[in-house]
Amino acid sequence: MFKLSEGTVQQLYIALRIAISQMLFKEELPFIFDETFIYFDDKRISRILHYLAKSNRQVIIFSCHKREMRILEELGFPYHKILL
């Protein structure tokens, strides 16, 4: 049996979500992620955040970690933080 890591499964899931939204919807709907990047290493999360920042879509990320903010700051992409 072939088994993928949880990080790889999450990457495939994100790619599928993005592809489906581009195929089905003419208008650009926001992407909402809730702890989606928990299994990503810094290199993976940096790449997906770079892609999302360049996509010109609204992106909402729910996370209890500060890693996403740190990487966005390192990449130089603006973001708005709301603490709940």
Side-chain angles (χ1 to χ4, degrees):
M1 183 183 338
F2 185 69
K3 184 165 170 79
L4 300 172
S5 71
E6 189 63 32
T8 302
V9 170
Q10 289 299 322
Q11 279 186 294
L12 290 170
Y13 178 61
I14 290 171
L16 185 61
R17 285 174 58 186
I18 291 170
I20 288 172
S21 71
Q22 290 174 345
M23 289 171 44
L24 295 180
F25 303 105
K26 299 277 186 218
E27 71 276 3
E28 292 187 1
L29 300 174
F31 287 125
I32 301 173
F33 300 101
D34 185 9
E35 295 293 351
T36 304
F37 311 122
I38 193 93
Y39 295 105
F40 283 31
D41 57 29
D42 283 358
K43 189 174 184 179
R44 286 178 177 171
I45 196 169
S46 179
R47 286 181 178 168
I48 189 66
L49 290 176
H50 186 270
Y51 172 81
L52 293 171
K54 293 291 187 177
S55 72
N56 292 324
R57 286 186 160 198
Q58 181 181 25
V59 179
I60 301 169
I61 300 173
F62 294 100
S63 179
C64 63
H65 304 289
K66 295 181 180 178
R67 184 172 62 153
E68 290 86 350
M69 289 188 315
R70 177 181 54 81
I71 292 173
L72 284 169
E73 288 169 1
E74 288 171 2
L75 294 172
F77 291 117
Y79 64 91
H80 299 281
K81 175 177 72 170
I82 300 173
L83 295 175
L84 301 177

